Amino acid sequence: MEIYKTEKRQRYLEEYSIGYLFSFPIEEFLEVHEYKREEWIIQEGMRPDFLFYVIEGKAKIYVTHQNGKVSLINFIKEKDFFGEMELLNPIYYTKGIQATTKTVCFAIPFHFCRAKMLEDTAFLRELAKFLSVKSTQMAAKYTQSLSFPLENRLAEFILQTADGEIYKEKHVTVCDFLGVSYRHLLYVLAQFCDKGYLQKEGRHYRILQHNELDGLARVLMNE
Amino acid sequence: MEIYKTEKRQRYLEEYSIGYLFSFPIEEFLEVHEYKREEWIIQEGMRPDFLFYVIEGKAKIYVTHQNGKVSLINFIKEKDFFGEMELLNPIYYTKGIQATTKTVCFAIPFHFCRAKMLEDTAFLRELAKFLSVKSTQMAAKYTQSLSFPLENRLAEFILQTADGEIYKEKHVTVCDFLGVSYRHLLYVLAQFCDKGYLQKEGRHYRILQHNELDGLARVLMNE
DNA sequence: TCCTAAATATGAGATATCTCATATTATTGT
DNA sequence: ACAATAATATGAGATATCTCATATTTAGGA
């Protein structure tokens, strides 16, 4: 982890101003942190000292269960907060946050800013919106996971993450995210190839029948 | 649905004051609504005109999927909000809310109060806390449902909802809530009886081995 | 460059869970 | 009090998904 100082910090503060999220001057308190690919930004179970706001990069939220299984709860991207649970709730089991790519965040120290943030209408309104979306998404994912087989959820995931016609997510990550075994994921991917929806090209998959996948994914919708 | 007027309304306003949740005078705008057991407070897909705050009673949040399956997303109890998604988000697929028992709510009209509420620090802070808890719970339920068989989740549910030593939830409701088929629910309940954790008494079940169920439920924890 | 750990692949057998069919009680409205 | 509807119950067969064993390939570190 690297903390940007002086000019570099200043450059980020200017280029990605988040002043509009607050009605008090936040700039002076902001730290700018850079995390390397794969680096753990927050260790599971360790309360952070900052509220984070992502400027560049992507990260993943993980939790480990008692039976050893790991769940990838969600992805975090630009303009997302994390650490907000710890800001609001004195008791909370902290999830692990791992950078997927090089990630730059604003880190807002609780120590100096908690009280101010909790008194700030503009910020609280943004936060409430962010949380309402998050909560809605989790509820949707929850009920979908109980109501539909992997086939549908994977189709949606492929379409969401594909780069043009190419799908190339790591199987291991996808298993944790969709909550299925590695074996089963490969079964369903093989089915998609059999049916001609996908074509395997080395380690990647090319989407051949966008429509068919879309049909499978669309069934999840309406929420 | 019945709207309390004059004295009855006044009595509720005094007995269950929620003035402390707001920093502006809210009382004059509050309606007091009573819904009968089984009544739909909000129809799925129909945006409500109020933010609701539950005073007495219990309700359920439902969503219907395209394949006809119904999910019981969560239970709502005293001191919970609902309609807050529609307050915050102009675009949102409204879930259905059904009263389980006779339910009395304060209904805060968006028309008069939206702007005020979205400017109110005290309220926004409460709402953000409420949403953060809700989001955390959904995330936990989501990952648990993907990581553990019904056995564990049912054990937890039985302990949470049992009335003393007696478990008597309706199977139909539990299926929707835990996202499993009726058939499978009965299988696992039968297993619990075989193992001596539960004993069937007419339509109810008596908890015989609290410890064993607790062991199964505890495996979910740590979040 | 080589070694090791991670990621990919595939088979075989188990089990968790689902669908459907069919009875038998409760509950509710009239 | 009766009919209709909802809830409970159980069997049988299907399928979605898991576990484990084992190879092969890829990628990162000494």
Side-chain angles (χ1 to χ4, degrees):
Chain A
M1 194 262 276
E2 183 190 341
I3 302 184
Y4 294 171
K5 299 286 183 188
T6 61
E7 305 85 26
K8 198 165 184 185
R9 170 175 181 278
Q10 202 53 41
R11 197 162 359 106
Y12 270 87
L13 288 187
E14 283 159 19
E15 185 155 4
Y16 303 93
S17 169
I18 57 167
Y20 74 95
L21 292 175
F22 300 85
S23 37
F24 67 95
I26 189 80
E27 254 83 15
E28 57 180 309
F29 301 108
L30 290 182
E31 297 186 8
V32 184
H33 293 190
E34 177 192 311
Y35 299 88
K36 288 196 276 284
R37 195 160 94 73
E38 309 279 271
E39 189 175 359
W40 287 92
I41 305 179
I42 299 181
Q43 303 275 350
E44 192 172 338
M46 307 278 286
R47 284 184 82 83
D49 296 318
F50 302 89
L51 172 67
F52 292 90
Y53 181 82
V54 180
I55 301 172
E56 294 174 357
K58 290 183 200 166
K60 292 175 281 190
I61 312 177
Y62 279 107
V63 68
T64 310
H65 300 278
Q66 296 215 325
N67 64 359
K69 265 202 191 175
V70 169
S71 291
L72 202 189
I73 300 180
N74 218 338
F75 296 100
I76 295 179
K77 55 184 190 315
E78 289 147 32
K79 302 194 179 171
D80 282 340
F81 288 105
F82 59 93
E84 81 285 358
M85 297 300 173
E86 291 83 355
L87 170 68
L88 293 165
N89 302 111
I91 297 176
Y92 177 74
Y93 178 76
T94 294
K95 312 296 188 285
I97 310 278
Q98 187 186 30
T100 307
T101 62
K102 175 186 135 181
T103 299
V104 182
C105 309
F106 287 137
I108 310 169
F110 289 154
H111 180 62
F112 292 118
C113 300
R114 166 176 268 129
K116 285 193 175 81
M117 290 191 283
L118 294 181
E119 287 294 332
D120 184 342
T121 310
F123 168 71
L124 288 171
R125 192 167 46 228
E126 281 303 318
L127 187 58
K129 266 187 213 169
F130 174 77
L131 287 170
S132 76
V133 170
K134 191 165 166 175
S135 159
T136 302
Q137 282 177 351
M138 287 311 306
K141 282 182 51 168
Y142 171 60
T143 63
Q144 287 167 7
S145 74
L146 293 176
S147 304
F148 298 94
L150 180 61
E151 183 178 50
N152 299 93
R153 296 180 290 130
L154 179 59
E156 179 181 58
F157 183 77
I158 289 175
L159 294 177
Q160 271 177 4
T161 56
D163 183 358
E165 297 304 303
I166 302 298
Y167 168 77
K168 52 184 171 188
E169 293 300 315
K170 275 207 248 177
H171 298 332
V172 195
T173 306
V174 180
C175 292
D176 290 341
F177 185 61
L178 297 179
V180 295
S181 66
Y182 189 90
R183 193 64 190 83
H184 190 55
L185 173 62
L186 287 221
Y187 269 136
V188 177
L189 280 172
Q191 279 175 35
F192 283 176
C193 291
D194 280 353
K195 293 179 184 165
Y197 304 167
L198 297 180
Q199 183 177 349
K200 204 166 163 185
E201 299 188 344
R203 336 215 90 204
H204 301 165
Y205 293 80
R206 175 177 298 276
I207 300 177
L208 296 184
Q209 298 184 230
H210 206 279
N211 282 342
E212 296 294 331
L213 292 178
D214 202 53
L216 287 173
R218 211 188 291 275
V219 175
L220 300 181
M221 300 292 179
N222 192 26
E223 311 198 39
Chain B
M1 193 262 277
E2 184 190 340
I3 302 185
Y4 294 172
K5 299 288 182 186
T6 61
E7 304 84 26
K8 200 164 182 186
R9 170 175 181 275
Q10 202 52 42
R11 202 164 352 111
Y12 270 86
L13 288 187
E14 283 160 19
E15 186 156 2
Y16 302 93
S17 170
I18 57 166
Y20 73 97
L21 292 174
F22 299 86
S23 36
F24 66 95
I26 187 80
E27 255 83 16
E28 56 179 311
F29 300 108
L30 290 182
E31 297 186 7
V32 184
H33 292 189
E34 178 193 309
Y35 299 87
K36 288 198 275 288
R37 194 159 95 72
E38 309 279 271
E39 189 175 0
W40 287 91
I41 306 180
I42 298 180
Q43 301 276 350
E44 191 172 339
M46 308 277 287
R47 284 183 81 84
D49 297 317
F50 302 89
L51 172 67
F52 292 91
Y53 181 82
V54 180
I55 302 171
E56 294 174 356
K58 290 182 200 167
K60 292 175 282 191
I61 312 177
Y62 279 107
V63 68
T64 310
H65 300 278
Q66 296 216 324
N67 64 359
K69 265 202 192 176
V70 169
S71 292
L72 202 187
I73 300 180
N74 217 338
F75 296 100
I76 295 179
K77 55 184 190 312
E78 290 148 33
K79 302 194 178 171
D80 282 341
F81 288 104
F82 60 93
E84 80 285 358
M85 297 301 173
E86 291 84 354
L87 170 69
L88 293 166
N89 301 111
I91 295 176
Y92 177 72
Y93 178 75
T94 294
K95 312 296 187 283
I97 309 279
Q98 186 187 30
T100 308
T101 63
K102 176 187 133 180
T103 299
V104 181
C105 309
F106 287 138
I108 309 170
F110 289 155
H111 179 62
F112 293 118
C113 301
R114 166 176 268 128
K116 286 192 175 86
M117 289 190 284
L118 294 181
E119 287 294 334
D120 185 342
T121 310
F123 168 71
L124 288 170
R125 191 165 49 227
E126 281 303 317
L127 187 59
K129 266 188 213 167
F130 174 76
L131 287 170
S132 77
V133 170
K134 191 166 165 172
S135 159
T136 302
Q137 282 177 352
M138 286 312 306
K141 282 182 51 170
Y142 172 60
T143 62
Q144 287 167 6
S145 74
L146 293 175
S147 304
F148 299 94
L150 180 61
E151 184 178 50
N152 299 94
R153 295 180 292 131
L154 180 59
E156 180 182 58
F157 183 78
I158 290 175
L159 295 178
Q160 271 177 4
T161 57
D163 182 359
E165 297 305 304
I166 302 299
Y167 167 75
K168 51 184 173 188
E169 293 298 316
K170 275 206 248 177
H171 297 334
V172 194
T173 306
V174 180
C175 292
D176 291 342
F177 186 60
L178 298 179
V180 295
S181 66
Y182 190 90
R183 192 65 192 85
H184 190 54
L185 173 62
L186 288 221
Y187 269 136
V188 176
L189 280 172
Q191 280 176 36
F192 284 177
C193 291
D194 280 354
K195 292 179 184 165
Y197 303 168
L198 296 180
Q199 181 177 351
K200 203 167 163 187
E201 299 188 343
R203 337 216 87 202
H204 301 166
Y205 293 79
R206 176 178 298 277
I207 300 176
L208 295 183
Q209 296 183 232
H210 206 280
N211 281 342
E212 296 294 330
L213 291 177
D214 202 55
L216 287 173
R218 212 187 293 273
V219 174
L220 300 181
M221 300 293 180
N222 192 27
E223 310 197 38

